[in-house]
């Protein structure tokens, strides 16, 4: 694992005992867990602050065709330069890039037992506010994929208000489980080739669900 | 473009009386049906932009498309725009007894409510407007539980005084000169389409009629 001082992860995620527990949880859950206290102290605050005040979010709106119907706000940042060792992004986004490019894949690899990496040098921030939703889908990908969602939402609200990460049965309607918006949480779940249907139901109230998220793909060892 | 049956004296008298009583109307079959159908078809080809506000005094999220009707353009939407600001405006003025004028910028606006769209409670008061109008172009209605219905609300109690389902070729009029015409559109919860041409007519003279 990365040198502890430079890591974007909480120090406990460098402890073999903690990793062993997470591997057990991953295996027993069939490949879907939530990890609490993910980031190094202060980083979640910094990322949430920059997301809420500085990032330019654009409407992500799809209603027809082969894409999953959705409406939410998304900001995608190119981290290719930092990935190539060129100029780093402004803090704290440089740390976010380190998390996405380096520490997250290594953590996920340690937990899942599969070599994982983010397939593209980008990182995405997402905001779900009143009227936002992401319809049921299963993250189709060319090969095995593991989805991740970093929770940057301090507030909590009932599932009836919407905006929770919801896992569904094959009928894409029956709810298996829901995870509320988390603060400094990391949701990992295998999303392909398992047809793990999931959604973010329509947010009915004035809330602000802030996350980072994406897919990690398997890489050849 | 306006349905000829609305030009009869009997029709106008009936609507004038209803307006005097309630200061709010829904007129069925406002346009010639072929005009309404072609307008919807053309609106469905236009790009809409998200209109959003989360301010405490007015919160909304829907989609909006605007155009300025060109005088010499024979495109149906330009013609419909000229009609709305001309012949239709005069018709509304006759029914309401108000001296009315189109918006100063001449824009015609189409609003689209899709899943997640909503318009919170407000009353359009204080901006110099006289009559709010919604020309509904929704081919089929749906139950109120799914959202997207125009609700007229008692601000003192929050009670819904009247609920109007998405209309096909309907013209809704609301008197917004005073502070009492509170209305809202609850969030649309399914993939449905509430499309309208909507806006305001303004007083033609200071203080209105």
């Amino acid at each position: 694992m990365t040198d502890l001082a430079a890591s974007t992860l909480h120090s406990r995620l460098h402890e073999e005992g903690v990793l062993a527990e997470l591997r057990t949880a991953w295996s027993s859950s069939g490949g879907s867990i939530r990890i609490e206290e993910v980031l190094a102290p202060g980083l979640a605050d910094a990322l949430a602050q920059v997301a809420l005040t500085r990032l330019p979010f654009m409407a992500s709106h799809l209603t027809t065709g082969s894409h999953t119907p959705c409406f939410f706000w998304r900001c995608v940042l190119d981290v290719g330069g930092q990935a190539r060792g060129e100029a780093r992004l402004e803090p704290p986004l440089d740390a976010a890039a380190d998390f996405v490019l380096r520490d997250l894949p290594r953590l996920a690899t340690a937990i899942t037992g599969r070599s994982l990496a983010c397939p593209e040098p980008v990182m995405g921030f997402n905001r779900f506010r009143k009227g936002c939703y992401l319809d049921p889908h299963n993250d189709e990908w060319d090969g095995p994929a593991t989805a991740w969602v970093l929770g940057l939402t301090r507030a909590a609200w009932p599932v009836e208000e919407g905006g929770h990460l919801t896992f569904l049965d094959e009928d894409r309607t029956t709810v298996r489980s829901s995870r509320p918006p988390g603060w400094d949480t990391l949701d990992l779940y295998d999303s392909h080739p398992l047809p793990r249907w999931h959604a973010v139901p329509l947010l009915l109230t004035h809330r602000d669900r802030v996350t980072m998220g994406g897919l990690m793909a398997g890489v050849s060892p | 473009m306006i349905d000829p049956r609305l030009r009869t004296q009997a029709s106008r008298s009936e609507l004038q009386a209803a307006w005097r009583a309630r200061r709010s109307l829904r007129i069925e079959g406002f346009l010639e049906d072929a005009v309404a159908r072609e307008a919807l078809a053309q609106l469905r080809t236009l790009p809409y932009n998200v209109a959003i506000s989360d301010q405490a005094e007015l919160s909304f999220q829907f989609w909006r498309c605007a155009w300025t009707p060109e005088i010499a353009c024979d495109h149906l939407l330009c013609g419909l725009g000229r009609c709305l600001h001309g012949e239709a405006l005069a018709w509304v003025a006759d029914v309401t007894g108000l001296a009315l004028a189109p918006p100063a910028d001449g824009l015609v606006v189409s609003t689209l409510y899709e899943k997640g769209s909503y318009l919170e409670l407000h009353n359009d008061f204080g901006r110099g407007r006289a009559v709010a109008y919604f020309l509904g172009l929704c081919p089929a209605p749906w139950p109120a539980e799914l959202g997207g219905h125009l609700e007229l609300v008692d601000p003192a109690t929050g009670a819904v005084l009247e609920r109007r389902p998405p209309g096909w070729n309907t013209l809704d009029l609301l008197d917004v000169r005073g502070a009492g015409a509170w209305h809202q559109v609850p969030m649309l919860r399914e993939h449905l389409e509430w499309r309208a041409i909507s806006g305001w007519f303004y007083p033609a003279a200071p203080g209105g009629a």
Side-chain angles (χ1 to χ4, degrees):
Chain A
M1 294 285 280
T2 305
D3 173 26
L4 186 61
S7 176
T8 60
L9 300 177
H10 195 283
S11 59
R12 68 187 191 86
L13 293 176
H14 291 261
E15 298 172 11
E16 179 50 37
V18 172
L19 293 175
E21 289 178 3
L22 291 172
R23 281 192 287 269
T24 298
W26 178 263
S27 176
S28 63
S29 70
S32 177
I33 59 173
R34 167 169 281 195
I35 305 167
E36 306 278 350
E37 280 191 292
V38 177
L39 299 176
L43 184 53
D45 282 292
L47 292 180
Q49 179 70 12
V50 75
L52 290 170
T53 62
R54 285 169 43 194
L55 293 183
F57 283 86
M58 305 289 290
S60 182
H61 179 231
L62 298 168
T63 57
T64 60
S66 60
H67 300 287
T68 302
C70 64
F71 178 78
F72 59 95
W73 300 90
R74 184 155 172 81
C75 176
V76 179
L77 300 175
D78 185 343
V79 297
Q82 187 164 321
R84 292 187 295 272
E86 299 165 5
R88 290 178 63 82
L89 297 176
E90 292 286 324
L93 295 175
D94 60 339
D98 286 339
F99 171 78
V100 172
L101 295 170
R102 182 190 65 202
D103 297 335
L104 170 65
R106 291 181 182 178
L107 175 64
T109 296
I111 293 172
T112 67
R114 298 198 305 272
S115 293
L116 294 169
C118 289
E120 298 173 340
V122 296
M123 62 181 183
F125 288 78
N126 307 303
R127 290 178 75 174
F128 283 70
R129 308 177 74 178
K130 179 174 178 175
C132 291
Y133 66 94
L134 175 57
D135 274 0
H137 64 287
N138 65 359
D139 290 339
E140 290 188 19
W141 188 259
D142 184 17
T146 300
W148 63 276
V149 179
L150 178 68
L152 297 172
T153 307
R154 281 199 178 277
W157 57 84
V159 65
E160 296 76 28
E161 292 187 25
H164 289 208
L165 174 60
T166 302
F167 295 94
L168 307 166
D169 278 345
E170 286 289 322
D171 63 4
R172 309 180 202 181
T173 302
T174 306
V175 176
R176 282 188 176 177
S177 64
S178 290
R179 294 182 190 168
W183 173 254
D184 194 13
T185 54
L186 178 66
D187 291 297
L188 287 176
Y189 51 95
D190 274 344
S191 62
H192 190 76
L194 299 176
R196 194 183 301 274
W197 294 94
H198 54 287
V200 180
L202 184 59
L203 188 49
L204 303 175
T205 54
H206 285 292
R207 304 290 191 178
D208 201 341
R209 176 178 184 264
V210 183
T211 63
M212 295 181 67
L215 284 179
M216 289 178 285
V219 295
S220 301
Chain B
M1 290 185 165
I2 299 175
D3 192 302
R5 67 177 177 77
L6 293 174
R7 301 188 180 286
T8 66
Q9 184 58 50
S11 171
R12 285 160 46 209
S13 296
E14 181 180 344
L15 292 170
Q16 288 163 351
W19 176 263
R20 284 193 297 270
R22 298 174 53 207
R23 300 291 176 172
S24 169
L25 285 178
R26 165 165 280 199
I27 297 105
E28 301 282 348
F30 183 68
L31 299 175
E32 295 170 322
D33 194 71
V35 172
R37 294 191 183 283
E38 183 59 21
L40 176 60
Q42 293 193 15
L43 286 172
R44 282 174 166 167
T45 68
L46 297 181
Y48 284 66
N49 297 310
V50 65
I52 188 165
S53 167
D54 61 355
Q55 302 302 310
E57 59 269 21
L58 179 57
S59 177
F60 55 79
Q61 175 180 295
F62 51 83
W63 300 85
R64 183 178 181 273
C65 171
W67 68 96
T68 302
E70 296 179 25
I71 294 175
C73 178
D74 61 359
H75 191 266
L76 181 131
L77 290 180
C78 278
L80 181 57
R82 293 193 298 270
C83 172
L84 283 168
H85 291 171
E87 180 186 5
L89 184 150
W91 186 89
V92 172
D94 178 64
V95 166
T96 63
L98 300 174
L100 298 173
D105 59 11
L107 282 178
V108 179
V109 177
S110 174
T111 47
L112 170 63
Y113 284 65
E114 295 183 324
K115 178 175 176 177
S117 296
Y118 66 92
L119 175 60
E120 288 189 350
L121 189 64
H122 69 291
N123 67 0
D124 286 345
F125 176 65
R127 300 191 180 194
R129 300 160 175 164
V131 177
Y133 73 87
F134 307 84
L135 177 58
L137 295 171
C138 306
W142 55 79
E145 303 83 67
L146 299 183
H149 288 211
L150 174 63
E151 295 181 342
L152 308 183
V153 177
D154 180 342
T157 64
V160 175
L161 302 173
E162 182 184 353
R163 183 177 288 117
R164 297 182 187 174
W168 169 252
N169 195 14
T170 51
L171 181 67
D172 289 295
L173 300 175
L174 296 179
D175 188 340
V176 294
R177 293 174 297 158
W182 291 84
H183 53 285
Q184 65 190 11
V185 179
M187 186 182 294
L188 190 50
R189 300 187 178 213
E190 297 293 341
H191 288 294
L192 297 163
E193 176 188 344
W194 187 105
R195 199 180 301 255
I197 296 176
S198 58
W200 300 273
F201 296 134
Y202 292 76

